[in-house]
């Protein structure tokens, strides 16, 4: 397989991540009289987090805010884990229960707990077809696209600087052999919804790693091939993506695939980090322990595998508790799977992740140049008009522009406007933008240039600053 050239990694913040944790773990090991070890060599960490940190990785868990008052739960959380994912509290229905009205109280409880205990935070999830609030479920088209972008912008802005990695888009591909996108209200807003989501997240929190997260993509199959093609396309076009999350929910029907490590590696070879984001493996005893060991070994063998998150602490905390898929039993006792996981982390032997950031970060915004072939349009056309509606908040806006053809219809159109000082376009859909500040223009894309007399189409753009007072003018061709 020949490798396409890939863009280098985008520079991201170093949170309370592996290197900080490694120092703490090493200090703890010295106090305990244990030998100080280097990544990639055998070691004897005594907790999941410390042992993972010695290998330059994190070990995390999904956390439910309403369990933070359970002392057994919190005791294990604080002792064993150095990363958390909000199990439900950062989802759209939880954070924006009514449109443009945000509630971060439960998510904040998890964030505050993580921060005061030096844990990193995985944000989950900005755009997903499930757990949408009712008002979003009833939207479609441009209204839904704008609502999604506004949601992403507001949530990622609120947590800017605190999130190590965001699951920007979750579960957007269909199961089975089609390799197609999953049909959903978000997908029906246009195939570019995923890249629009990533661009919005990047504009809101440029320091967070931006992940695509899915299940049944853990081995090579039609679904993971489709995700692979998308990531490859994003990397080649400069769409901001930093990581791919492999949920890794396993059971008898969906066992750990034999090519699990190879699949992680092929994604890593595209120039993205890989993360195991929701690990749970149904079963018990030695069989379950062996499966956990395999997953840990696979991550340690892939240098760009940044860490592992299990989807809950005790079996009784699991979304599928009857399958006893986690590392602690209902009383909080360590299971054989815990021991095999810890031993696999300590045995290590894999490749440590790179400790330096490669030079030369690509631009975080997509190129705004229009297609290289000039549009061929016949002369004439009796004009067009444009009107704008703004959805603004403190520090940002989404503009929806309606283009209406005059009496001759259009073969193409360009909308020009001047942004006030301090405002900048960060993201555009259904049009191709030229310029980001001051005088900017938006040209039709292939599918919406031709309008019959009186017909309308809409495009949109998102920006930082204020766009109050902008007046679009339309030129037809
Ligand atoms: O564990 C979560 C459970 O509490 C929720 O009821 C469920 C609702 O969809 O979501 C569970 O978490 C899911 C995660 O957000 C995305 N991947 C699949 C997880 C298990 O369903």
């Amino acid at each position: 397989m020949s490798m396409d050239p890939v863009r280098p990694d985008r520079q991201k913040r170093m949170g309370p991540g592996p290197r900080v944790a490694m120092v703490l773990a090493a200090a703890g090991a010295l106090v305990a009289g244990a030998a100080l070890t280097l990544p990639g060599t055998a070691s004897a960490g005594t907790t999941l987090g410390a042992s993972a940190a010695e290998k330059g990785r994190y070990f995390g868990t999904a956390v439910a805010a309403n369990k933070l008052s359970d002392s057994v739960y919190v005791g294990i959380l604080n002792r064993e884990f150095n990363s958390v994912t909000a199990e439900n509290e950062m989802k759209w229905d939880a954070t924006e229960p009514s449109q443009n009205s945000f509630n971060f109280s439960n998510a904040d409880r998890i964030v505050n707990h993580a921060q005061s205990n030096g844990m990193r935070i995985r944000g989950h999830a900005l755009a997903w077809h499930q757990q949408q609030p009712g008002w979003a479920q009833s939207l479609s088209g441009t209204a839904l696209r704008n609502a999604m972008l506004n949601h992403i912008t507001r949530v990622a802005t609120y947590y800017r600087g605190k999130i190590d990695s965001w699951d920007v888009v979750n579960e957007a591909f269909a199961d089975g052999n089609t390799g197609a996108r999953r049909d959903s209200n978000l997908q029906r807003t246009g195939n570019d919804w995923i890249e629009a989501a990533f661009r919005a997240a990047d504009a809101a929190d440029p320091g967070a790693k931006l992940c695509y997260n899915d299940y049944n993509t853990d081995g090579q199959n039609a679904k993971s091939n489709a995700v692979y093609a998308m990531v490859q396309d994003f990397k080649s076009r400069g769409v901001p993506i930093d990581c791919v999350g492999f949920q890794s929910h396993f059971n008898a029907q969906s066992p750990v695939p034999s090519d699990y490590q190879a699949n992680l590696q092929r994604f890593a070879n595209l120039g993205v980090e890989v993360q195991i984001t929701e690990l749970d493996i149904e079963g018990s005893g030695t069989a379950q322990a062996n499966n956990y060991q395999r997953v840990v070994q696979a991550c340690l063998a892939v240098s760009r595998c940044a860490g592992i998150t299990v989807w809950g602490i005790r079996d009784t905390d699991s979304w599928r508790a009857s399958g006893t898929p986690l590392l602690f039993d209902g009383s909080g006792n360590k299971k054989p799977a815990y021991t095999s996981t810890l031993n696999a982390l300590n045995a290590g032997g894999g490749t440590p992740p790179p400790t330096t950031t490669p030079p030369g970060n690509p631009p975080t915004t997509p190129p705004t140049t229009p297609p290289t072939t000039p549009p061929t349009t016949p002369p004439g056309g009796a004009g067009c008009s444009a009107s704008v509606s703004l959805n603004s908040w403190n520090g940002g806006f989404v503009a929806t522009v309606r283009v209406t053809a005059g009496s001759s219809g259009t073969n193409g159109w360009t909308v020009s406007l001047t942004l006030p000082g301090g405002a900048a376009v960060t993201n555009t859909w259904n049009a191709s933008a030229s310029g980001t500040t001051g005088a900017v223009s938006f040209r039709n894309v292939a599918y919406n240039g031709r309008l019959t007399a009186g017909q309308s189409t809409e495009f949109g753009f998102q920006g930082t600053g204020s766009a109050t007072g902008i007046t679009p003018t339309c030129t037809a061709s």
Side-chain angles (χ1 to χ4, degrees):
M1 183 180 67
S2 73
M3 278 287 304
D4 291 327
V6 294
R7 287 168 180 258
D9 290 354
R10 293 148 22 86
Q11 183 138 31
K12 295 290 158 176
R13 75 175 57 92
M14 281 295 290
R19 281 194 279 173
V20 176
M22 203 185 315
V23 173
L24 296 175
L30 286 175
V31 169
L36 173 59
T37 55
L38 295 169
T41 61
S43 61
T46 55
T47 67
L48 302 170
S51 297
E54 288 184 7
K55 299 297 186 290
R57 269 74 173 189
Y58 65 83
F59 206 99
T61 179
V63 165
N66 64 8
K67 292 182 180 152
L68 289 173
S69 52
D70 174 334
S71 60
V72 175
Y73 182 88
V74 172
I76 302 172
L77 170 62
N78 292 355
R79 186 185 76 220
E80 297 287 345
F81 298 97
N82 54 16
S83 174
V84 297
T85 305
E87 187 171 2
N88 289 297
E89 292 78 352
M90 288 190 188
K91 292 172 181 173
W92 199 348
D93 60 349
T95 49
E96 195 181 358
S98 56
Q99 189 162 16
N100 246 325
S101 166
F102 291 83
N103 181 345
F104 295 110
S105 54
N106 283 329
D108 279 347
R109 288 166 65 192
I110 295 174
V111 168
N112 292 339
H113 186 91
Q115 287 198 309
S116 50
N117 289 281
M119 300 167 178
R120 68 169 73 193
I121 302 159
R122 295 197 79 263
H124 174 83
L126 292 171
W128 189 24
H129 65 283
Q130 280 187 33
Q131 283 178 282
Q132 293 181 0
W135 62 265
Q137 290 174 35
S138 65
L139 294 181
S140 62
T142 305
L144 176 61
R145 175 68 68 94
N146 286 349
M148 177 194 81
L149 294 170
N150 183 48
H151 176 76
I152 292 171
T153 303
R154 294 288 299 272
V155 176
T157 299
Y158 181 82
Y159 284 117
R160 175 162 47 210
K162 298 182 175 176
I163 303 294
D164 177 82
S165 304
W166 264 115
D167 289 333
V168 178
V169 170
N170 195 37
E171 302 176 2
F173 282 82
D175 293 309
N177 291 323
T178 63
R181 295 281 183 85
R182 174 193 299 280
D183 179 49
S184 72
N185 60 347
L186 294 171
Q187 179 62 30
R188 289 191 291 271
T189 68
N191 208 49
D192 63 343
W193 75 275
I194 298 181
E195 62 188 90
F198 274 85
R199 288 187 173 123
D202 188 48
D205 186 357
K209 286 180 280 193
L210 306 180
C211 303
Y212 175 79
N213 189 52
D214 214 329
Y215 67 92
N216 281 352
T217 49
D218 311 297
Q220 250 201 66
N221 55 39
K223 188 174 175 181
S224 67
N225 286 347
V227 176
Y228 181 90
M230 178 187 75
V231 174
Q232 194 170 38
D233 170 53
F234 280 13
K235 292 296 279 183
S236 73
R237 290 190 295 117
V239 178
I241 185 167
D242 304 290
C243 37
V244 177
F246 298 84
Q247 293 186 8
S248 305
H249 294 293
F250 297 123
N251 57 22
Q253 291 70 46
S254 174
V256 185
S258 56
D259 60 352
Y260 187 63
Q261 179 183 321
N263 190 51
L264 296 177
Q265 186 66 59
R266 73 170 176 146
F267 277 87
N269 291 347
L270 289 175
V272 286
E273 204 173 90
V274 295
Q275 303 187 18
I276 295 166
T277 51
E278 305 182 14
L279 177 64
D280 51 20
I281 310 177
E282 291 187 3
S284 61
T286 308
Q288 184 181 47
N290 289 344
N291 281 323
Y292 267 99
Q293 178 186 356
R294 279 191 51 211
V295 170
V296 173
Q297 286 172 341
C299 180
L300 292 183
V302 175
S303 65
R304 284 182 192 268
C305 181
I308 298 172
T309 298
V310 287
W311 205 240
I313 297 179
R314 300 162 300 197
D315 284 335
T316 43
D317 300 318
S318 171
W319 66 296
R320 42 186 197 187
S322 62
T324 61
L326 295 173
L327 301 177
F328 296 87
D329 70 18
S331 308
N333 300 311
K334 297 169 180 174
K335 294 168 57 182
Y338 170 91
T339 307
S340 69
T341 297
L342 183 67
N343 289 346
L345 289 168
N346 285 332
T351 324
T355 50
T356 53
T357 308
N361 296 295
T364 53
T365 43
T368 49
T369 37
T372 43
T373 16
T376 49
T377 44
C384 53
S385 60
S387 60
V388 65
S389 71
L390 281 177
N391 177 8
S392 302
W393 59 91
N394 193 13
F397 62 89
V398 166
T400 304
V401 182
R402 190 169 187 78
V403 176
T404 305
S407 57
S408 297
T410 63
N411 287 303
W413 45 261
T414 301
V415 170
S416 305
L417 55 91
T418 302
L419 290 169
V425 176
T426 55
N427 187 28
T428 302
W429 52 98
N430 296 342
S432 165
S434 288
T436 55
T437 57
V440 294
S441 63
F442 301 87
R443 183 161 179 74
N444 64 276
V445 285
Y447 52 83
N448 62 8
R450 255 173 218 279
L451 302 173
T452 57
Q455 196 183 6
S456 292
T457 186
E458 281 185 345
F459 73 89
F461 62 96
Q462 184 181 13
T464 52
S466 165
T468 306
I470 54 172
T471 314
T473 57
C474 189
T475 312
S477 51

